[in-house]
Amino acid sequence: MDLDVYRQWMLSVGVSTRETITDILDWPTTYMPWVWIAIFGINFTLTQMFLFDGREWAPLSEIFSKSLILGPCIGIGFWLLFCSLITLIGWMFQRKVSWSRTFTASAWATVPYNVKGIVLIPQILLFGDELFARSTPELNQSATLTLLYLFFLLVDLLCIIWFYIVLVKSISVAHQVAVWKASMVMVLSLCMVWIISLEIFNTLFFPL
């Protein structure tokens, strides 16, 4: 497939979600959903390191190396589970739900989430190890760095909200159901992921 088509979909899926996902699902299956999920896995792993203060038990270089090596596998495993839950729960509203269509649509919905990886680069340059640490002495002593940190938290939050909006619309297109039904499917699937993560790993893994 022409790379220009991929680029066009990448730029439009976060804005014209329904039209873009419809076009994507009309094309033959490609490898791109797996690429987006692998990138999602890297960003997801780094997010967990951020939420659970990964710098307290590993140096920054190890955090990045493990995220780059293990992240794609974690992302694929997580998304296969999440997509399967979306498909199973979606059957309550639409009996003709397709797992492959759900996987493709939801994988492309991670494009806004993966913007977090781009936003992470200036944060690393500005905050260094303290971005993943519980103790942040340099950050606490600088009003400028504190304001920048809050700014990036806001950008991160907007990316997450954007991701969920696109995901709901993508599920709606793939399952051919109303947005409110797709919202219920997504919320119930997330709740199932949290229950599974609590039961197996005794912690909550947030897809944030």
Side-chain angles (χ1 to χ4, degrees):
M1 181 184 290
D2 192 342
L3 291 178
D4 288 337
V5 176
Y6 286 140
R7 184 167 59 250
Q8 180 182 348
W9 287 345
M10 182 181 65
L11 295 174
S12 65
V13 70
V15 181
S16 305
T17 305
R18 301 189 69 88
E19 294 82 359
T20 303
I21 295 298
T22 299
D23 289 343
I24 292 170
L25 293 177
D26 285 340
W27 280 79
T29 303
T30 68
Y31 61 88
M32 278 308 296
W34 297 97
V35 174
W36 292 129
I37 296 306
I39 298 174
F40 166 85
I42 295 172
N43 290 314
F44 176 81
T45 304
L46 287 170
T47 298
Q48 304 312 306
M49 296 291 187
F50 170 78
L51 292 173
F52 295 105
D53 302 319
R55 183 62 184 83
E56 302 301 318
W57 53 269
L60 190 60
S61 58
E62 186 177 339
I63 289 175
F64 275 99
S65 60
K66 287 188 174 180
S67 296
L68 289 172
I69 295 171
L70 301 177
C73 298
I74 293 172
I76 290 172
F78 178 92
W79 211 258
L80 288 175
L81 170 63
F82 189 40
C83 181
S84 297
L85 290 171
I86 292 173
T87 304
L88 288 171
I89 295 172
W91 281 340
M92 295 190 302
F93 302 103
Q94 171 61 272
R95 294 295 180 182
K96 295 182 180 180
V97 170
S98 164
W99 186 91
S100 61
R101 286 172 60 87
T102 301
F103 178 77
T104 299
S106 62
W108 275 90
T110 63
V111 170
Y113 184 96
N114 290 330
V115 173
K116 284 161 55 71
I118 300 174
V119 177
L120 182 64
I121 296 172
Q123 294 183 71
I124 293 295
L125 296 175
L126 286 168
F127 311 123
D129 289 14
E130 291 191 1
L131 186 63
F132 298 95
R134 185 178 296 110
S135 176
T136 56
E138 292 185 15
L139 181 59
N140 294 338
Q141 292 174 5
S142 172
T144 302
L145 286 178
T146 300
L147 288 174
L148 285 170
Y149 181 77
L150 293 174
F151 168 75
F152 281 114
L153 280 181
L154 177 60
V155 173
D156 220 45
L157 177 62
L158 292 176
C159 286
I160 294 165
I161 294 172
W162 185 22
F163 159 64
Y164 281 126
I165 291 173
V166 173
L167 180 59
V168 166
K169 290 182 178 180
S170 299
I171 294 172
S172 174
V173 173
H175 290 195
Q176 297 180 337
V177 296
V179 170
W180 71 268
K181 292 182 179 179
S183 300
M184 289 185 62
V185 169
M186 185 197 71
V187 171
L188 290 173
S189 299
L190 281 175
C191 289
M192 289 300 298
V193 168
W194 292 334
I195 291 171
I196 292 171
S197 67
L198 275 174
E199 290 295 325
I200 297 178
F201 301 102
N202 197 32
T203 189
L204 282 176
F205 291 129
F206 291 93
L208 302 177

